[in-house]
Amino acid sequence: FVSVADQMGATLANTAYSVNIKERFDFSCALFDAGGNLVANAPHVPVHLGSMSDSVRAVMRIERGKIRPGDVFMLNAPYEGGTHLPDVTVVTPVFDDAGSEVLFFTGSRGHHADIGGMSPGSMSGGTEIYQEGLRIPPIRLFREGVLDRDLMDMVLLNVRVPDERRGDYNAQIAACRLGARRVGELVGQHGAARLTAAFDQIIERTHRRMLHAAAAIPAGTYRFVDKMDDDGHGNLDMPIAVTITADGERPVRFDFEGSSSAVKGNINCPYTATQSSVAYVFRAMVDPGAPINQGLLDAMDVVAPLGSIVNAAFPSAVAGRANTCQRIIDTVIGALAAAMPDVAVAASNGANTAAIFSGSDPATGAPYVYLETVGGGFGGRVGKDGKDGVQVHLINTSNLPVEAIESEYPLMVESYGFIEDSGGAGRTRGGLGLRRVIRPRGGPTMFSGQGERFRNAPWGIFGGSEGGRGRFLKRGGDGVEEVLKNKPSRVMIAPDEALIVETAGAGGYGPPDERPKEAIAEDRRSGKFSADWLAHHYPDQSTAEQQQ
């Protein structure tokens, strides 16, 4: 079943139009049983995989008894089975030979570079869901194998790059149909009864496995509070609090009472996204080899107050919910660190720093939207340094290659590299953030962004130092750099100007004075840290070298 989901993902990546899907792999594919329970998936984007079941069940609630072979459904509405509007889910039911009973569903979810709304890229500026783009409830795009062209035309009319969207939708549909064929072949080999029995056993065995693994958490109550930087509309330092209760007998309880109420900006998080975040870190810390399916979700109890930043209520804006998901993960890790120090990590870049460039290609006049979430540092661990310049935790996408940016868009990447001194010191150090400088070619471009860990630095753990903060800057034609807001919207960048994205580093693990001398020597040789930074964090070693 996992192999089928892998093949679905390969089809989606190979046939998609947008670089966000074909190059960055911001998509997920999965199989679901007849009840909409997640059975198997490829190792794609965790924030998708813990919430796609809700999309399937949303289709079932509206269309149960009306679904026919050949039907294809799509949706993105966050309060009707989605997570945020750019993530569009395609669901395909698969029937028995008689066409009377649904045996299973295939699903694919892709992050689309634009879904309409007030800002290109559909990721910034909104204060309510209506402003963020086209909301698609569970709708039948294909009826018994026939495309509803009027419906497709309506969907494409509301986006900025319709040909790209059409190509990505077709790629998602192709992936779902391939999955249906592959599992259909298994039905032919083994029969429907054995297949559905296997679905049930996979979920049940995973559930028992996770409960058994969770029993290793020392019984007790663990609490931690972290903060979101801002919501882009004046609210600062919004808390995300979690209380974790483990007793070795019942599902582990994650209670987010004490978290901030929903805010005006778009960093509010639907419950499904919060559940996905908790499921990711629960599995990563308790049993990272366990399958991801409904059994994992059933082994935990996630409580989030309705109307809070971690369980937003309609019509709260949610486009930037990935930043909040990352902070939820850091918060849960912080709470469990005392109980599970050997698997805890320091705070990573803790964000999903989004950079969106849009305009018209001066060579063709065609509109473009380039969206990317840029990686940063991964936190220090018990026996290893953090990784430099990577996507962390819930996202699992790639940094877009410079060649792909410059071949697809009228943009030039002037420089791309690590940020010196941005990793937190410790027994093991935190990873470094990234710096990317982008300049328009030929004509102006409009920039919008979503930054986090720009105000509250990634914390260190067990005595480790914090990592560096991120920021957005605009470099004028005179070379002067202006620091922008953390969540800027609609900033014009002229051809003689440049936009600079700097992402956060990560915290260190353990006291810096316990770092092995050979590791400090490697820090010095690497060129990633200045002499002043090394002298500040490892003064005894620096003094000894000076004396030598």
Side-chain angles (χ1 to χ4, degrees):
F1 296 145
V2 171
S3 174
V4 171
D6 271 327
Q7 292 180 56
M8 292 171 64
T11 296
L12 181 47
N14 289 338
T15 59
Y17 276 41
S18 70
V19 295
N20 199 51
I21 293 179
K22 70 182 181 182
E23 293 279 0
R24 295 191 61 247
F25 311 122
D26 195 346
F27 64 81
S28 295
C29 297
L31 304 178
F32 306 85
D33 67 15
N37 299 304
L38 176 64
V39 173
N41 56 269
H44 291 147
V45 180
V47 72
H48 296 164
L49 297 169
S51 59
M52 284 177 68
S53 292
D54 292 299
S55 297
V56 178
R57 293 184 183 121
V59 169
M60 294 169 59
R61 283 195 301 271
I62 293 176
E63 298 290 345
R64 174 59 80 187
K66 302 178 184 178
I67 303 175
R68 299 298 303 152
D71 288 352
V72 176
F73 299 87
M74 69 186 305
L75 70 153
N76 74 343
Y79 300 105
E80 299 173 81
T83 56
H84 69 166
L85 297 182
D87 281 348
V88 179
T89 305
V90 171
V91 176
T92 301
V94 182
F95 285 76
D96 59 12
D97 291 339
S100 59
E101 182 182 357
V102 175
L103 298 180
F104 61 94
F105 294 88
T106 60
S108 65
R109 176 176 288 174
H111 183 120
H112 289 254
D114 184 82
I115 197 69
M118 64 183 292
S119 298
S122 313
M123 288 286 287
S124 61
T127 58
E128 57 181 358
I129 193 71
Y130 302 111
Q131 299 170 325
E132 297 191 299
L134 177 66
R135 292 164 57 212
I136 307 172
I139 58 174
R140 186 187 281 104
L141 188 62
F142 281 75
R143 185 182 299 273
E144 298 186 54
V146 179
L147 172 66
D148 187 332
R149 295 188 181 277
D150 291 341
L151 190 56
M152 177 64 89
D153 289 345
M154 187 276 293
V155 170
L156 296 177
L157 185 65
N158 284 275
V159 299
R160 291 176 175 83
V161 193
D163 289 341
E164 184 177 275
R165 297 286 69 71
R166 187 197 308 273
D168 285 350
Y169 292 143
N170 286 338
Q172 288 185 250
I173 294 164
C176 285
R177 286 176 167 168
L178 174 70
R181 289 200 303 273
R182 290 290 182 262
V183 182
E185 293 166 4
L186 295 175
V187 173
Q189 294 175 30
H190 304 290
R194 176 178 255 184
L195 185 84
T196 55
F199 284 169
D200 293 342
Q201 284 197 27
I202 287 169
I203 292 171
E204 174 58 26
R205 289 159 74 173
T206 300
H207 184 230
R208 292 201 309 267
R209 172 174 172 168
M210 288 304 300
L211 290 177
H212 176 75
I217 302 174
T221 300
Y222 308 95
R223 183 171 172 80
F224 195 82
V225 180
D226 208 335
K227 296 177 181 178
M228 298 293 293
D229 286 351
D230 70 291
D231 72 339
H233 292 274
N235 295 301
L236 301 176
D237 298 332
M238 292 77 67
I240 294 181
V242 69
T243 301
I244 302 174
T245 305
D247 62 12
E249 297 181 1
R250 290 178 291 271
V252 180
R253 182 180 177 89
F254 300 83
D255 190 340
F256 288 88
E257 184 68 40
S259 297
S260 168
S261 299
V263 292
K264 184 176 182 180
N266 68 5
I267 61 172
N268 302 295
C269 204
Y271 178 82
T272 54
T274 295
Q275 176 182 255
S276 295
S277 306
V278 175
Y280 159 79
V281 71
F282 179 48
R283 173 179 178 266
M285 295 187 74
V286 171
D287 187 353
I292 301 173
N293 58 46
Q294 189 64 41
L296 163 63
L297 301 177
D298 291 343
M300 60 186 202
D301 181 17
V302 180
V303 179
L306 182 63
S308 68
I309 197 172
V310 293
N311 186 6
F314 178 85
S316 295
V318 296
R321 60 95 177 95
N323 285 304
T324 311
C325 290
Q326 296 280 41
R327 194 70 87 259
I328 289 169
I329 289 169
D330 279 347
T331 304
V332 173
I333 292 173
L336 286 176
M340 309 178 73
D342 289 346
V343 294
V345 297
S348 298
N349 70 75
N352 192 42
T353 303
I356 303 106
F357 297 81
S358 62
S360 298
D361 189 329
T364 64
Y368 70 89
V369 177
Y370 155 48
L371 177 146
E372 180 174 9
T373 57
V374 185
F378 184 79
R381 299 161 282 178
V382 66
K384 291 184 179 180
D385 290 341
K387 289 286 188 178
D388 303 323
V390 292
Q391 302 283 347
V392 301
H393 294 316
L394 203 64
I395 303 308
N396 199 34
T397 58
S398 299
N399 292 330
L400 192 60
V402 170
E403 296 84 353
I405 298 172
E406 296 187 342
S407 65
E408 295 273 354
Y409 307 107
L411 301 169
M412 175 180 290
V413 181
E414 288 191 354
S415 66
Y416 181 32
F418 298 129
I419 300 174
E420 186 181 60
D421 299 344
S422 57
R427 185 189 314 138
T428 57
R429 69 165 178 84
L432 273 62
L434 289 173
R435 186 175 195 265
R436 183 174 265 174
V437 182
I438 296 179
R439 182 165 58 83
R441 286 191 287 115
T445 188
M446 181 184 293
F447 172 76
S448 299
Q450 285 276 319
E452 273 288 330
R453 291 296 190 198
F454 284 22
R455 175 180 170 87
N456 294 292
W459 38 263
I461 194 170
F462 302 128
S465 300
E466 65 182 28
R469 297 171 176 84
R471 58 182 182 167
F472 294 125
L473 304 99
K474 178 182 176 180
R475 189 184 69 205
D478 57 2
V480 176
E481 295 182 354
E482 169 195 0
V483 179
L484 302 177
K485 295 179 180 179
N486 295 353
K487 296 175 175 63
S489 179
R490 307 176 74 85
V491 177
M492 292 304 300
I493 309 296
D496 64 340
E497 299 176 329
L499 192 285
I500 302 168
V501 179
E502 293 185 352
T503 64
Y509 185 109
D513 60 10
E514 294 181 3
R515 187 160 177 80
K517 292 181 179 180
E518 58 271 19
I520 298 174
E522 178 56 33
D523 290 339
R524 184 168 285 103
R525 288 192 297 268
S526 72
K528 297 177 181 179
F529 300 94
S530 66
D532 289 343
W533 187 93
L534 291 164
H536 174 73
H537 290 286
Y538 309 116
D540 293 343
Q541 182 72 6
S542 297
T543 301
E545 289 187 355
Q546 290 171 5
Q547 290 174 347
Q548 279 187 337

